[in-house]
């Protein structure tokens, strides 16, 4: 049977939760985000998509849903909507992991860019259907562009600092089991 | 099975698909619930933040103090120049202190003369800003006073100078203030010299626009804007800011409160703002004449006879 206390997986899940809490903490600091300033990139989304692309078993769908739902409540977004969109996007990526394994980084970056844009469009579409007020499209697009530009940085940091990489052919983990 | 699950066919099993589909449906149902019955979900959100965020303040304060110190170090070129500047300021402050003491005595005498009492309905609770939502999309701050300090939804919050926002969302130990620049904020205001009523609606820009001004020619940049107290929404007479003409040729208000330095906010207690629903019976609808309703009185016999002969 699968050893549920497999330490690498749970260690990385704990690291993910810790990173999520750190990002919430940074967002909540009263450093005065004045209105009219450009929004920063959505680092939580970059982190989730980068990890799901490389090691999908580190982020099960309920964990992603829980973390993003907490972020929805803390960041005053309509709860549940962005969470559903993120879960659907990660399921899309997981299903296509076989096809995207051989992609070069530039192609993967392009795929992620298109995926983030589609997520934003779906989010805004549901807002329009539900007659909710929303900020201008250009304003929100700046955040998506920032996320796309910071995606390689997040991937590099995950690879170098946290060791999250795609499992190579025949790679074995610390106990000799194949990944 | 000793394999760790990374390959895609492990994620396409039907049961897993059903479960994930169920999860997505639950999340969308939560969104629909929020859209339909927003106060219930917002109360849950306020309770969640109430449990999570005030526990952070031991960590938030040192970071903000450190950032403040870095900012003040960066703003001075060298310690010597800073010292000289501080000495000059100290001299000026001493002179101002003398002037202030004299004014204070004069003020006390005049107040005694007038027997002025500040409106007791406008006592205040002071709160410290704990956190803000930190995004340019939602303009709100979190205070460290909540329902157990007697705060209620809808009360106005001011800093030392002008109106900052309204309380929207309460926990036991924390309260959320929606700032005037947020897109969901609408405040009835009055432009001061001309007495025009208008609506101040935020749109995520630093200077929110004035809408529904009755006569825009009577409003000029530089006029003072105060709350009008319409509809019992906010107390009247609170300073909001000054009218400016925006680059898009719309009348906007430059807020008197310093949004970049929100530290202590006063929440004004306003218990019984009664909205004026009717004009006080001054202009009453005309009562129906009781003579017109009911059977008409019989005409005298002579008139009826002459009328019949003519007709």
């Amino acid at each position: 049977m699968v050893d549920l206390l497999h330490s690498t997986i749970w260690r990385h899940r704990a690291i993910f939760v810790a990173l999520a809490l750190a990002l919430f903490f940074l967002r909540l600091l009263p450093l005065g985000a004045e209105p009219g300033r450009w929004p920063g990139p959505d680092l939580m989304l970059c982190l989730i998509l980068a990890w799901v692309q490389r090691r999908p078993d580190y982020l099960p769908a309920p964990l992603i849903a829980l973390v993003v739902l907490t972020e929805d409540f803390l960041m005053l977004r309509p709860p549940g909507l962005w969470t559903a969109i993120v879960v659907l996007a990660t399921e899309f990526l997981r299903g296509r992991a076989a096809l995207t394994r051989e992609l070069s980084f530039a192609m993967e970056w392009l795929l992620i860019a298109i995926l983030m844009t589609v997520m934003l469009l779906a989010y805004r579409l549901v807002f329009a259907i539900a007659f909710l007020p929303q900020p201008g499209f250009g304003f929100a697009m700046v955040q998506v562009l920032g996320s796309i530009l910071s995606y390689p940085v997040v991937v590099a940091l995950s690879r170098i600092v946290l060791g999250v990489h795609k499992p190579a052919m025949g790679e074995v983990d610390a106990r000799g089991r194949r990944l | 099975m000793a394999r760790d699950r990374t390959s895609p066919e492990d994620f396409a099993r039907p049961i897993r698909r059903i479960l994930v589909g169920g999860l997505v449906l639950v999340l969308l149902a939560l969104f629909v619930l929020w859209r339909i019955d927003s106060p219930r979900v917002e109360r849950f959100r306020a309770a969640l933040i109430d449990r999570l965020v005030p526990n952070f303040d031991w960590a938030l304060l040192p970071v903000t103090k450190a950032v403040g110190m870095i900012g003040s170090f960066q703003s001075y070129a060298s310690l010597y120049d800073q010292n000289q500047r501080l000495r000059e300021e100290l001299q000026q402050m001493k002179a101002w202190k003398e002037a202030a003491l004299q004014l204070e005595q004069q003020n006390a005498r005049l107040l005694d003369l007038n027997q002025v009492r500040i409106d007791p309905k406008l006592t205040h609770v002071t709160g410290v800003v704990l956190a803000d939502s930190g995004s340019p999309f939602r303009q709100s701050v979190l205070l460290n006073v909540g329902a157990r300090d007697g705060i209620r939804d809808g009360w106005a919050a001011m800093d030392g100078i002008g109106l900052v926002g309204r309380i929207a969302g309460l926990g036991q130990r924390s309260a959320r203030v929606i700032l005037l620049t947020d897109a969901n904020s609408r405040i009835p205001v009055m432009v001061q010299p001309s007495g025009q009523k208008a609506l101040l609606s935020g749109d995520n820009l630093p200077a929110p626009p004035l809408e529904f001004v009755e006569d825009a020619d009577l409003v000029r940049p530089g006029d003072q804007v105060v709350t009008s107290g319409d509809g019992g929404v906010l107390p009247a007479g609170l300073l909001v800011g000054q009218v400016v003409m925006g680059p898009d040729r719309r009348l906007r208000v430059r807020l008197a409160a310093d949004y970049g330095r929100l530290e202590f906010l006063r929440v004004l207690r306003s218990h019984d703002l009664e909205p004026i629903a009717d004009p006080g019976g001054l202009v009453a609808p005309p009562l129906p004449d009781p003579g017109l309703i009911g059977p008409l009185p019989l005409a005298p016999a002579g008139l009826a006879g002459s009328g019949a002969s003519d007709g």
Side-chain angles (χ1 to χ4, degrees), chain A residues 7 27-29 40 44 60 63 73 75-76 90 100 108 110 116 118 122 134 136 143 146 148 153-154 157 171-172:
Chain A
S7 60
R27 291 263 196 102
L28 286 175
L29 283 180
M44 172 67 64
L63 178 65
F73 276 115
M75 298 299 149
L76 296 180
T90 52
T100 56
E108 176 191 330
L110 183 65
M116 283 189 186
V118 169
Q134 49 183 333
Q143 183 171 42
I148 294 171
V153 177
V154 171
L157 285 177
E171 184 176 342
V172 296

Short mmCIF file of all heavy atoms in Angstrom, two decimals, chain A residues 7 27-29 40 44 60 63 73 75-76 90 100 108 110 116 118 122 134 136 143 146 148 153-154 157 171-172:
data_model
loop_
_atom_site.label_atom_id
_atom_site.label_comp_id
_atom_site.label_asym_id
_atom_site.label_seq_id
_atom_site.Cartn_x
_atom_site.Cartn_y
_atom_site.Cartn_z
N SER A 7 7.47 11.18 3.27
CA SER A 7 7.81 12.47 3.86
C SER A 7 7.99 13.57 2.82
O SER A 7 7.70 14.72 3.09
CB SER A 7 9.08 12.34 4.69
OG SER A 7 10.11 11.90 3.84
N ARG A 27 0.10 40.39 1.75
CA ARG A 27 -1.00 41.17 1.18
C ARG A 27 -1.70 41.99 2.24
O ARG A 27 -2.27 43.03 1.98
CB ARG A 27 -2.02 40.24 0.56
CG ARG A 27 -1.54 39.54 -0.65
CD ARG A 27 -1.99 40.24 -1.90
NE ARG A 27 -1.84 39.37 -3.02
CZ ARG A 27 -2.85 38.72 -3.57
NH1 ARG A 27 -4.06 38.87 -3.11
NH2 ARG A 27 -2.63 37.93 -4.57
N LEU A 28 -1.70 41.50 3.49
CA LEU A 28 -2.50 42.16 4.53
C LEU A 28 -1.74 43.28 5.22
O LEU A 28 -2.31 44.00 6.02
CB LEU A 28 -2.93 41.15 5.59
CG LEU A 28 -4.02 40.21 5.17
CD1 LEU A 28 -4.27 39.19 6.24
CD2 LEU A 28 -5.30 40.97 4.93
N LEU A 29 -0.44 43.44 4.95
CA LEU A 29 0.30 44.47 5.64
C LEU A 29 -0.26 45.84 5.29
O LEU A 29 -0.50 46.13 4.12
CB LEU A 29 1.77 44.42 5.23
CG LEU A 29 2.61 43.32 5.85
CD1 LEU A 29 4.02 43.43 5.33
CD2 LEU A 29 2.59 43.41 7.34
N GLY A 40 -0.10 44.31 -8.42
CA GLY A 40 1.06 43.46 -8.60
C GLY A 40 0.65 42.11 -9.16
O GLY A 40 -0.53 41.80 -9.28
N MET A 44 0.38 33.77 -5.98
CA MET A 44 -0.23 32.50 -5.54
C MET A 44 -0.61 31.66 -6.76
O MET A 44 -0.37 30.46 -6.81
CB MET A 44 -1.47 32.83 -4.71
CG MET A 44 -2.32 31.67 -4.35
SD MET A 44 -1.53 30.54 -3.26
CE MET A 44 -1.34 31.56 -1.87
N PRO A 60 -2.90 18.18 -4.15
CA PRO A 60 -4.20 17.59 -4.46
C PRO A 60 -5.26 18.66 -4.57
O PRO A 60 -5.15 19.73 -3.98
CB PRO A 60 -4.46 16.68 -3.25
CG PRO A 60 -3.66 17.27 -2.16
CD PRO A 60 -2.46 17.88 -2.80
N LEU A 63 -6.64 20.46 -1.46
CA LEU A 63 -5.71 21.41 -0.82
C LEU A 63 -5.74 22.73 -1.57
O LEU A 63 -5.78 23.82 -0.96
CB LEU A 63 -4.30 20.84 -0.81
CG LEU A 63 -3.23 21.75 -0.21
CD1 LEU A 63 -3.50 21.96 1.24
CD2 LEU A 63 -1.85 21.16 -0.42
N PHE A 73 -11.74 34.60 0.84
CA PHE A 73 -12.38 35.27 1.96
C PHE A 73 -11.53 36.41 2.46
O PHE A 73 -12.04 37.48 2.83
CB PHE A 73 -12.63 34.27 3.10
CG PHE A 73 -13.90 33.49 2.92
CD1 PHE A 73 -13.87 32.13 2.74
CD2 PHE A 73 -15.12 34.12 2.93
CE1 PHE A 73 -15.03 31.41 2.57
CE2 PHE A 73 -16.29 33.41 2.76
CZ PHE A 73 -16.24 32.05 2.59
N MET A 75 -9.28 38.23 0.77
CA MET A 75 -9.06 39.31 -0.17
C MET A 75 -10.37 39.94 -0.65
O MET A 75 -10.37 40.67 -1.63
CB MET A 75 -8.31 38.78 -1.41
CG MET A 75 -6.96 38.24 -1.10
SD MET A 75 -5.90 39.49 -0.39
CE MET A 75 -4.89 38.51 0.65
N LEU A 76 -11.48 39.64 0.03
CA LEU A 76 -12.76 40.28 -0.26
C LEU A 76 -13.25 40.01 -1.68
O LEU A 76 -13.88 40.84 -2.28
CB LEU A 76 -12.68 41.80 -0.05
CG LEU A 76 -12.43 42.25 1.37
CD1 LEU A 76 -12.37 43.75 1.40
CD2 LEU A 76 -13.50 41.76 2.28
N THR A 90 -6.34 23.75 -12.91
CA THR A 90 -5.34 22.76 -12.51
C THR A 90 -5.73 21.37 -12.99
O THR A 90 -4.85 20.58 -13.36
CB THR A 90 -5.15 22.76 -10.99
OG1 THR A 90 -6.42 22.63 -10.37
CG2 THR A 90 -4.48 24.02 -10.53
N THR A 100 2.35 17.76 -22.22
CA THR A 100 3.19 18.93 -22.00
C THR A 100 4.55 18.58 -21.43
O THR A 100 5.37 19.46 -21.21
CB THR A 100 2.50 19.91 -21.05
OG1 THR A 100 2.20 19.21 -19.83
CG2 THR A 100 1.23 20.43 -21.64
N GLU A 108 5.73 26.04 -22.77
CA GLU A 108 4.97 25.93 -21.52
C GLU A 108 4.56 27.31 -21.02
O GLU A 108 3.41 27.50 -20.56
CB GLU A 108 5.84 25.22 -20.49
CG GLU A 108 5.18 25.13 -19.13
CD GLU A 108 6.16 24.66 -18.09
OE1 GLU A 108 7.09 23.91 -18.45
OE2 GLU A 108 6.01 25.07 -16.94
N LEU A 110 4.01 29.91 -22.82
CA LEU A 110 2.92 30.38 -23.67
C LEU A 110 1.60 29.74 -23.27
O LEU A 110 0.56 30.41 -23.17
CB LEU A 110 3.23 30.07 -25.14
CG LEU A 110 2.22 30.57 -26.15
CD1 LEU A 110 2.18 32.08 -26.15
CD2 LEU A 110 2.56 30.05 -27.54
N MET A 116 -3.90 31.62 -18.17
CA MET A 116 -4.20 32.70 -17.21
C MET A 116 -5.16 33.70 -17.83
O MET A 116 -6.08 34.21 -17.16
CB MET A 116 -2.91 33.40 -16.80
CG MET A 116 -2.09 32.65 -15.80
SD MET A 116 -0.76 33.72 -15.24
CE MET A 116 0.16 32.59 -14.24
N VAL A 118 -7.38 33.11 -20.17
CA VAL A 118 -8.72 32.51 -20.24
C VAL A 118 -9.38 32.50 -18.88
O VAL A 118 -10.59 32.74 -18.74
CB VAL A 118 -8.61 31.09 -20.83
CG1 VAL A 118 -9.92 30.35 -20.67
CG2 VAL A 118 -8.26 31.15 -22.29
N ALA A 122 -12.92 34.21 -18.03
CA ALA A 122 -14.05 33.48 -17.43
C ALA A 122 -14.52 34.18 -16.16
O ALA A 122 -15.73 34.31 -15.92
CB ALA A 122 -13.62 32.04 -17.14
N GLN A 134 -17.26 45.61 -11.53
CA GLN A 134 -15.89 45.15 -11.57
C GLN A 134 -15.00 46.25 -12.12
O GLN A 134 -15.46 47.11 -12.85
CB GLN A 134 -15.78 43.88 -12.43
CG GLN A 134 -16.45 43.98 -13.77
CD GLN A 134 -16.34 42.67 -14.50
OE1 GLN A 134 -15.42 41.92 -14.27
NE2 GLN A 134 -17.27 42.41 -15.38
N GLY A 136 -11.97 48.11 -14.36
CA GLY A 136 -11.81 48.11 -15.80
C GLY A 136 -10.98 46.94 -16.30
O GLY A 136 -10.16 46.38 -15.58
N GLN A 143 -2.64 43.00 -14.12
CA GLN A 143 -2.27 41.99 -13.12
C GLN A 143 -1.92 40.67 -13.80
O GLN A 143 -0.95 40.00 -13.42
CB GLN A 143 -3.41 41.78 -12.14
CG GLN A 143 -3.03 40.80 -11.06
CD GLN A 143 -4.06 40.73 -9.97
OE1 GLN A 143 -5.25 40.72 -10.23
NE2 GLN A 143 -3.61 40.68 -8.75
N GLY A 146 1.46 40.94 -15.34
CA GLY A 146 2.48 40.82 -14.30
C GLY A 146 2.68 39.38 -13.87
O GLY A 146 3.82 38.93 -13.66
N ILE A 148 2.10 36.71 -15.71
CA ILE A 148 2.77 35.98 -16.79
C ILE A 148 4.26 36.28 -16.77
O ILE A 148 5.10 35.39 -16.92
CB ILE A 148 2.15 36.36 -18.14
CG1 ILE A 148 0.71 35.86 -18.20
CG2 ILE A 148 2.94 35.80 -19.28
CD1 ILE A 148 -0.05 36.37 -19.39
N VAL A 153 10.20 33.44 -13.05
CA VAL A 153 10.90 33.66 -11.78
C VAL A 153 10.41 32.65 -10.74
O VAL A 153 11.21 32.04 -10.02
CB VAL A 153 10.66 35.11 -11.30
CG1 VAL A 153 11.31 35.32 -9.97
CG2 VAL A 153 11.19 36.08 -12.32
N VAL A 154 9.08 32.46 -10.68
CA VAL A 154 8.53 31.51 -9.72
C VAL A 154 9.00 30.10 -10.03
O VAL A 154 9.36 29.33 -9.12
CB VAL A 154 6.98 31.60 -9.73
CG1 VAL A 154 6.37 30.49 -8.91
CG2 VAL A 154 6.54 32.94 -9.20
N LEU A 157 12.68 29.77 -8.96
CA LEU A 157 12.84 29.69 -7.52
C LEU A 157 12.35 28.35 -6.99
O LEU A 157 12.98 27.75 -6.11
CB LEU A 157 12.08 30.83 -6.85
CG LEU A 157 12.74 32.19 -6.96
CD1 LEU A 157 11.87 33.25 -6.33
CD2 LEU A 157 14.10 32.17 -6.30
N GLU A 171 13.55 8.16 -12.74
CA GLU A 171 14.09 8.77 -11.54
C GLU A 171 13.51 8.08 -10.31
O GLU A 171 12.35 7.71 -10.27
CB GLU A 171 13.71 10.25 -11.53
CG GLU A 171 14.28 11.02 -10.36
CD GLU A 171 13.96 12.50 -10.45
OE1 GLU A 171 13.61 12.94 -11.56
OE2 GLU A 171 14.05 13.19 -9.45
N VAL A 172 14.35 7.90 -9.30
CA VAL A 172 13.89 7.26 -8.07
C VAL A 172 13.98 8.28 -6.95
O VAL A 172 14.82 9.17 -6.96
CB VAL A 172 14.71 6.00 -7.71
CG1 VAL A 172 14.52 4.95 -8.77
CG2 VAL A 172 16.17 6.35 -7.58
#
